[in-house]
Amino acid sequence: MEFTFSEKSLEMQARVRNFMEDHVIPRHKDFMAEQHNGTYTLSFMNDLKALAKSEGLWNMFLPSLKDDEPGTRMSNLDYAPLAEIMGRLPWASEVFNCSAPDTGNMEILHMFGTPEQKEKWLKPLLNGEIRSCFGMTEPDVASSDATNVQTLIRRDGDEYVINGRKWFSTGAASPNCKLCIVMGKTDPDADRHKQQSMILVPMDTPGITVTRNIPVMNHHSYESHCEVVYKDVRVPASNLLGEEGSGFALAQARLGPGRIHHMMRSLGQAELALELMVERSLERKTFGKYLHEQGVIMEMIARSRCEIEQARLLVLKAAWMIDNVGAKEARNEIGMIKVVVPEIQGKVIDRAIQIFGGMGVTPDTPLPDLWTMARCLRLADGPDEVHLRSLGRSLIKAAQKGPMNSHRFYTVPDRADETDMRPAVAAAVAALANEAAE
């Protein structure tokens, strides 16, 4: 297993880092001001995107990117550190056209879209001309089990008719969001993993209503997490993505590399929190000592470094496996990083808040926003419990098929010369039963 980044990746890391320092981080104050005003588009975003695109820092997440498509083709392993660098500011990935949910939508359009679908939707997404959202989670069912999805996609001649309610459709409030990939049931009577399909739905189609942008921890996000109602929404049958009944498989294909992106962005935020807490500990004094001289603070800093390093290695392993053996073979590792990283991210950010004290819960630092994202990520793309259940079942299934020879490590006492007490015990039990009966 080789974790060495290619020369291309090392070069791109330096270039993305420099771009962040020179152009993105200086605009964070502007981002905070515009987000506070409730905007869903940033006045300076198009300028930053044009600059990033002109410098070749564009669409770096697609290993299968074609030569005639805009962007830089990179493996999942080589892209991972770039996601970490961009992830230090939650809004920065959009600058490089590498932000969710567009990345996942571009991936499945790239893999499963028809030539016509790619021309109409993938091309403008790759060019950064439009945004998109993904409609899967529903308020009325436990969507952590995708087979619970209730939205109906019914064939009616040359059209499909969609009825349902989705929420947490990230990005749906943006005026630049022109497409939603909706998951629903085309055949409720089919095998439970063949009932669902995905379909391309233009956001200006009659019958679509964005009812609200849902606050997360009482915080309205710039990217928006919307509740969307689909009432008798009609789209051409040619808008079906893949085949009828392939929705579950498409969802799994979408989530594999996407979790590498999410988790590395999360580690970027954990790294920022660690950097903040270390520098804060050098500046503040309590009880006659700088914070870093307090043993408990030193331990918090050290544990944070240990945990981030462990988590990063696990994510890089998952990325390497996707590149070399495919997402299916890497499914356990993909599930593990989804559990491990947000938990560690939350711990590190929480420690940083403690070290900052009162300032740590104010908007004067990025810590409250980062903590909120970490907590939400333990639910997004499936809660921890679902991934742990899947991982546990996989391990048990493998053990049931295995040689079952761990008993070789037992050191059981040799009882060969001892009297077998089982008949006597059985007789005693029978006698007690007879006495009780009498």
Side-chain angles (χ1 to χ4, degrees):
M1 189 170 298
E2 180 59 65
F3 286 166
T4 301
F5 297 121
S6 68
E7 289 297 324
K8 180 179 180 179
S9 179
L10 293 172
E11 176 196 354
M12 294 294 285
Q13 289 175 46
R15 292 174 59 193
V16 171
R17 190 176 291 110
N18 291 336
F19 193 97
M20 288 283 293
E21 291 291 335
D22 294 341
H23 304 292
V24 180
I25 296 174
R27 303 309 296 262
H28 186 57
K29 187 174 183 179
D30 298 329
F31 165 79
M32 293 297 292
E34 294 190 22
Q35 177 186 240
H36 182 72
N37 291 333
T39 182
Y40 298 119
T41 58
L42 300 175
S43 62
F44 52 86
M45 179 57 75
N46 285 340
D47 291 338
L48 286 179
K49 290 173 72 172
L51 183 58
K53 191 174 184 179
S54 70
E55 295 193 9
L57 304 176
W58 193 257
N59 290 341
M60 300 168 284
F61 63 92
L62 267 178
S64 58
L65 195 70
K66 297 179 181 178
D67 291 338
D68 60 347
E69 292 174 328
T72 301
R73 182 167 55 245
M74 303 187 74
S75 68
N76 286 287
L77 179 62
D78 280 342
Y79 174 72
L82 306 184
E84 180 176 346
I85 295 167
M86 292 183 280
R88 290 167 71 90
L89 288 180
W91 60 272
S93 295
E94 184 183 350
V95 172
F96 308 92
N97 213 40
C98 292
S99 59
D102 294 325
T103 50
N105 289 345
M106 284 188 269
E107 282 174 335
I108 56 175
L109 279 167
H110 207 265
M111 288 187 287
F112 304 107
T114 65
E116 293 76 16
Q117 291 170 349
K118 291 179 179 180
E119 178 66 25
K120 185 172 183 178
W121 298 113
L122 179 59
K123 186 174 180 179
L125 281 169
L126 287 171
N127 286 323
E129 298 166 357
I130 64 172
R131 300 293 310 275
S132 62
C133 62
F134 186 63
M136 181 172 179
T137 306
E138 299 182 357
D140 299 324
V141 296
S143 300
S144 55
D145 177 359
T147 61
N148 283 338
V149 167
Q150 291 183 332
T151 295
L152 291 178
I153 303 174
R154 178 176 54 85
R155 183 72 181 255
D156 184 19
D158 294 331
E159 296 180 316
Y160 280 102
V161 183
I162 305 162
N163 282 281
R165 182 184 297 268
K166 302 288 186 178
W167 68 352
F168 292 101
S169 293
T170 300
S174 170
N176 294 329
C177 182
K178 305 300 183 183
L179 171 71
C180 184
I181 299 181
V182 178
M183 184 163 174
K185 288 189 176 181
T186 44
D187 186 357
D189 298 322
D191 178 83
R192 64 193 303 263
H193 290 106
K194 298 291 185 180
Q195 298 176 1
Q196 305 85 6
S197 300
M198 288 190 187
I199 195 161
L200 307 176
V201 183
M203 290 298 289
D204 60 358
T205 307
I208 296 179
T209 305
V210 179
T211 62
R212 58 172 174 156
N213 173 24
I214 303 170
V216 176
M217 302 291 191
N218 290 331
H219 168 74
H220 277 92
S221 169
Y222 150 73
E223 58 187 353
S224 76
H225 305 289
C226 295
E227 183 171 353
V228 185
V229 174
Y230 301 84
K231 185 175 180 180
D232 295 329
V233 175
R234 288 181 172 269
V235 297
S238 59
N239 281 26
L240 190 72
L241 188 59
E243 301 175 349
E244 279 198 16
S246 67
F248 192 85
L250 267 60
Q252 295 303 307
R254 185 182 187 276
L255 291 175
R259 289 201 176 115
I260 302 295
H261 309 166
H262 266 314
M263 298 307 106
M264 290 304 287
R265 285 193 291 262
S266 294
L267 288 174
Q269 293 163 26
E271 280 284 1
L272 175 58
L274 177 55
E275 182 179 315
L276 289 168
M277 78 166 83
V278 170
E279 294 183 5
R280 178 76 166 182
S281 74
L282 297 175
E283 299 169 350
R284 308 285 284 189
K285 278 187 174 181
T286 59
F287 305 105
K289 292 183 179 181
Y290 283 102
L291 288 178
H292 72 87
E293 296 176 310
Q294 305 285 356
V296 64
I297 301 299
M298 193 177 298
E299 181 179 340
M300 292 164 73
I301 291 170
R303 285 191 180 278
S304 297
R305 169 50 63 210
C306 292
E307 291 166 351
I308 291 173
E309 294 297 330
Q310 291 170 341
R312 182 184 291 109
L313 286 172
L314 185 57
V315 179
L316 294 180
K317 178 188 177 184
W320 183 91
M321 290 186 68
I322 293 175
D323 287 334
N324 288 275
V325 297
K328 184 175 182 180
E329 291 299 317
R331 60 187 179 277
N332 284 352
E333 283 72 16
I334 293 170
M336 282 188 270
I337 64 174
K338 179 56 179 66
V339 173
V340 169
V341 174
E343 182 177 354
I344 286 175
Q345 178 190 10
K347 286 181 179 179
V348 173
I349 296 169
D350 188 69
R351 292 173 190 140
I353 291 172
Q354 286 297 109
I355 290 174
F356 266 81
M359 186 180 181
V361 295
T362 72
D364 293 359
T365 77
L367 294 172
D369 285 347
L370 299 184
W371 182 89
T372 299
M373 292 186 65
R375 186 60 188 88
C376 292
L377 198 54
R378 293 182 57 199
L379 292 170
D381 289 347
D384 295 354
E385 292 75 13
V386 170
H387 297 288
L388 290 170
R389 175 178 180 267
S390 178
L391 176 61
R393 291 174 65 182
S394 177
L395 296 174
I396 294 299
K397 186 176 181 180
Q400 290 172 334
K401 293 181 178 179
M404 299 287 286
N405 60 4
S406 63
H407 64 276
R408 294 179 297 125
F409 296 89
Y410 294 172
T411 53
V412 180
D414 185 2
R415 297 192 176 96
D417 297 331
E418 295 181 12
T419 302
D420 187 351
M421 298 298 295
R422 286 175 296 180
V425 171
V429 169
L432 289 173
N434 290 333
E435 290 179 10
E438 293 175 358

